[in-house]
Amino acid sequence: MFSWLIVLLVFCVGLGYIYIRIQPVILRYAHSQAETIMLNSANEAVVKILKNNDFSYGDIAVLTRDSGGNVKSLEIDTYKINYLKSNISNEISNIISKKERYTVGIPIGTFFDNSFTAGFGPDVKFKMQMTSTAFVDFEHEFRDAGINQVLHRVVVKITINGSLLIAGYKRNISVNTSAIAAQTVIVGAVPEGFTNVIENENDNTAGLINDYGVIGE
């Protein structure tokens, strides 16, 4: 009986040693796949929400001009901005929730830490789980597009923070991505800073645009 306990103990220690040696490889593969899932989910959510709502630049931003055709102000519809933020964030969560449990397949030769064996052999599969939270915001970019022409972009900025969970280990994950929600070329003389931006007390859009004194090159 005692000899069997020794064998069992040696076997368990051996498995523990092997797991410690291969754990960095597992984490590297799992982390990479989790990032891919998050980024693809964010892109899928943005495309879906923007397509379903069919918002154009004119639905989000309105320019006012004086009698000479010069731009006086840029007005942002923060209701629609906040609507998009909320819907994109919810859609990202819905998509990722369907993919939070996934399987990583790693070729057995990769575990030998040898360039000649990496990628060879049958896959060893490991079950993974991740959790995530998406943060969505909008930013405004102004770029010189020529003489008396300014390119204005409304950009969706997305940050997804999460955790990767495997047996006995937890690793934090964070990814960032962006997409253009709408854009237009403003033709005509523009002020050094845009003012008169519609906002509400829960939105910081106006702070991003008011007195936007420097146009990006």
Side-chain angles (χ1 to χ4, degrees):
M1 181 66 180
F2 182 74
S3 60
W4 278 106
L5 290 176
I6 295 297
V7 171
L8 180 62
L9 178 61
V10 171
F11 179 74
C12 291
V13 171
L15 284 180
Y17 175 77
I18 292 173
Y19 181 74
I20 291 174
R21 290 294 302 272
I22 68 175
Q23 187 186 63
V25 178
I26 299 172
L27 290 174
R28 187 165 65 248
Y29 270 73
H31 191 278
S32 176
Q33 190 163 331
E35 287 184 336
T36 300
I37 291 173
M38 289 179 173
L39 290 172
N40 288 344
S41 298
N43 293 332
E44 182 181 340
V46 170
V47 170
K48 180 178 180 179
I49 297 301
L50 292 180
K51 180 180 180 180
N52 288 349
N53 289 278
D54 194 26
F55 281 159
S56 65
Y57 179 87
D59 296 318
I60 298 174
V62 178
L63 294 170
T64 58
R65 300 176 182 270
D66 60 21
S67 57
N70 299 315
V71 177
K72 291 174 57 180
S73 65
L74 172 63
E75 299 178 352
I76 301 297
D77 190 330
T78 54
Y79 169 80
K80 290 178 179 175
I81 289 289
N82 288 331
Y83 175 86
L84 289 174
K85 286 169 61 174
S86 176
N87 279 268
I88 290 173
S89 179
N90 289 337
E91 187 62 26
I92 292 173
S93 297
N94 290 335
I95 294 173
I96 292 182
S97 67
K98 300 174 184 177
K99 305 175 181 179
E100 63 182 9
R101 294 179 182 274
Y102 61 99
T103 300
V104 174
I106 306 175
I108 193 169
T110 304
F111 294 114
F112 293 104
D113 195 24
N114 188 302
S115 59
F116 294 102
T117 61
F120 287 95
D123 285 354
V124 180
K125 298 186 182 299
F126 299 90
K127 298 290 186 180
M128 303 292 165
Q129 182 179 1
M130 66 177 179
T131 61
S132 64
T133 303
F135 301 91
V136 180
D137 206 348
F138 281 77
E139 292 185 1
H140 301 265
E141 296 180 356
F142 295 86
R143 297 182 181 275
D144 187 2
I147 300 176
N148 283 340
Q149 294 184 22
V150 174
L151 175 65
H152 175 214
R153 287 175 173 168
V154 181
V155 182
V156 187
K157 295 285 187 176
I158 301 172
T159 298
I160 305 178
N161 296 325
S163 296
L164 177 64
L165 308 173
I166 63 174
Y169 198 86
K170 175 180 177 182
R171 172 180 284 188
N172 294 329
I173 308 173
S174 182
V175 298
N176 297 281
T177 188
S178 63
I180 298 174
Q183 68 177 13
T184 193
V185 175
I186 302 172
V187 179
V190 298
E192 291 186 357
F194 287 106
T195 56
N196 190 30
V197 180
I198 300 174
E199 65 170 336
N200 60 43
E201 61 181 7
N202 297 318
D203 187 80
N204 66 347
T205 302
L208 299 172
I209 300 179
N210 278 337
D211 300 324
Y212 204 103
V214 179
I215 297 175
E217 297 297 333

